[in-house]
Amino acid sequence: MKYYEVNYLSKGQKQKTVIKSPNKHDAIAIAKIKVPGVILNVKETSAPLEDQFSEFKSKFLGALTRKKISMPNLIAAIRQLSVMTNAGISIHDSVKEVSAATVDKTLKDIFQSINDDLNSGLSLTQAMMAYRNEVGDVTIAMVELGESTGNMAESLEKLSEILEEIEENRQKFKKALRYPTTVVIAIGIAFTILMVYVVPKFKEIFAKLKADLPLPTKILLFMENLINNYGLYLLAGIIGTIILIKYLLNNNEDFKKGFDQYILKVYLIGNIIFYATLSRFTLVFTELIRAGIPIADALDTSLLTLDNTYLKRKLSAVKISVQRGISLTEAFRDTGLFEGMLVQMIQAGEQSGTLDKMLEKVTNYFKSRFNQIIDNIASYIEPILLGFIAAMVLLMALGIFMPMWDMAKAVKN
């Protein structure tokens, strides 16, 4: 909906009002009914502050309260769709049956809405596009593949396998992070308890000394003062920052572009995102090529699976290059995302007519690199964890004992 400013004459005075309408033609029609006077002109304008605030509030709350679909339930529904369509049941009846059978309320509502859209004449891809955030880009891409090739059952079966692999990797990642996360939380709780109950006792002793305190002690007392006097504000600030970042990622394109490019440079996290994203992209691209989809169209569909805007912009250049007549090998080489070995494999596939087989090997490579990181994530994190623990213990020890040593020396002298 757009906003239009209507200027009109009423009782000899020039006045104006704002009308909400999908287009200017409808805005003029509404103005003729509602405006008590002679219309002078109608022009598009920005939304009033109240409406802007209301829209911001609804988007903000929507980002916080958006219900997520349980991945196991989605996989079960996709697999059920695959079995039913493979048995010759129409996609319309299959969707209707899945809607009735699923126990996930959010998923049930989505499939009921998709069923209504199918009844109105939309394709399954168009119907699912409205729930892209819920079902995921991979689902949209594979459903589009099924409609393009006319083999929906096979595409849905492959989709369920892809989603199962993604869910398995997610669970492996959570399991790998469980130990270091537990350790960090335990250290954080212990450190907070020391700051709240132990350090204040020493603070009283240090105050009586009236001596110049060493730097570690000053840092420790500063942190104690921060936690005891501003702890709740600090906690609220951290939570607010997380919520704000989440909101900006969903609603601000410039912020998301900068964040997506920066996150790829972060130790360990960047590699996980990089290999997971390229593995998913090449997997879908391989299936599309194997199904006989033209390379440009296959790239277009595969790009739907990318959430990272930096990688999406890089790989979008591949499609542009291919449309200009550049070989797929050169296009992938120009992105700078593929190692020389992988580019050579793609080139061999192009020259021998076995592009799908070579792309499958590229997919397996990215998958193996991702699995290697996940399987050894504890060994990557342990040095950082040990360094963090050592820093905390050293700060506590030096901050408390250095003034005590000075006291002992003073008494001895």
Side-chain angles (χ1 to χ4, degrees), residues 50-336:
E50 303 84 25
D51 287 9
Q52 290 181 18
F53 177 76
S54 178
E55 185 178 358
F56 171 81
K57 183 179 177 182
S58 63
K59 285 184 178 180
F60 189 76
L61 292 176
L64 296 179
T65 60
R66 183 183 295 150
K67 294 182 179 179
K68 292 185 177 180
I69 297 174
S70 168
M71 184 59 77
N73 289 338
L74 177 60
I75 294 170
I78 296 296
R79 192 166 288 281
Q80 186 178 354
L81 277 176
S82 172
V83 172
M84 294 179 72
T85 51
N86 193 41
I89 301 173
S90 68
I91 191 65
H92 177 274
D93 292 337
S94 299
V95 169
K96 188 176 181 180
E97 182 61 30
V98 170
S99 173
T102 184
V103 294
D104 189 310
K105 188 178 183 305
T106 304
L107 194 59
K108 183 185 287 290
D109 293 340
I110 288 174
F111 273 98
Q112 285 176 348
S113 177
I114 290 173
N115 181 54
D116 294 339
D117 290 339
L118 290 175
N119 285 333
S120 65
L122 295 181
S123 66
L124 184 59
T125 304
Q126 291 171 330
M128 280 191 165
M129 194 63 76
Y131 302 98
R132 181 177 176 180
N133 291 329
E134 287 79 9
V135 300
D137 293 319
V138 176
T139 300
I140 301 294
M142 293 305 292
V143 168
E144 186 174 358
L145 170 62
E147 290 187 325
S148 301
T149 61
N151 195 343
M152 182 63 74
E154 186 177 339
S155 293
L156 290 173
E157 183 179 358
K158 189 66 181 178
L159 171 61
S160 64
E161 293 174 2
I162 294 172
L163 293 178
E164 282 177 351
E165 184 177 334
I166 292 173
E167 178 62 14
E168 183 182 349
N169 289 336
R170 184 184 289 118
Q171 293 302 324
K172 284 172 65 178
F173 183 65
K174 286 182 178 180
K175 187 177 180 180
L177 286 180
R178 194 172 298 157
Y179 167 71
T181 302
T182 304
V183 173
V184 170
I185 291 174
I187 293 172
I189 293 173
F191 189 77
T192 303
I193 292 173
L194 288 172
M195 287 295 174
V196 173
Y197 297 104
V198 178
V199 175
K201 301 295 182 183
F202 286 95
K203 185 178 180 181
E204 296 174 2
I205 298 174
F206 298 154
K208 292 178 182 178
L209 289 175
K210 296 181 180 179
D212 188 25
L213 297 173
L215 180 61
T217 306
K218 290 180 179 179
I219 295 174
L220 201 62
L221 293 179
F222 171 77
M223 295 175 69
E224 179 272 336
N225 180 62
L226 193 67
I227 291 173
N228 283 321
N229 296 323
Y230 306 99
L232 292 178
Y233 298 105
L234 190 63
L235 182 62
I238 293 171
I239 295 173
T241 301
I242 294 172
I243 293 173
L244 180 61
I245 290 173
K246 184 178 179 181
Y247 172 80
L248 291 174
L249 285 174
N250 291 330
N251 298 279
N252 189 303
E253 291 184 8
D254 293 333
F255 179 83
K256 181 168 173 57
K257 286 178 182 178
F259 181 87
D260 286 346
Q261 186 170 358
Y262 169 77
I263 198 70
L264 291 173
K265 299 176 183 178
V266 177
Y267 171 74
L268 193 60
I269 295 175
N271 283 338
I272 291 174
I273 294 174
F274 178 80
Y275 288 116
T277 302
L278 287 187
S279 173
R280 189 163 58 247
F281 170 81
T282 53
L283 176 60
V284 175
F285 184 55
T286 301
E287 293 301 321
L288 293 168
I289 293 297
R290 184 171 288 151
I293 304 297
I295 289 178
D297 294 337
L299 286 167
D300 202 25
T301 302
S302 301
L303 288 170
L304 289 173
T305 66
L306 303 181
D307 182 57
N308 187 283
T309 52
Y310 176 77
L311 294 177
K312 191 169 188 175
R313 186 170 69 251
K314 284 276 190 178
L315 290 169
S316 295
V318 176
K319 178 190 171 185
I320 297 171
S321 298
V322 169
Q323 289 176 331
R324 290 175 178 173
I326 299 174
S327 69
L328 188 63
T329 303
E330 291 298 323
F332 275 128
R333 181 184 285 116
D334 292 342
T335 63

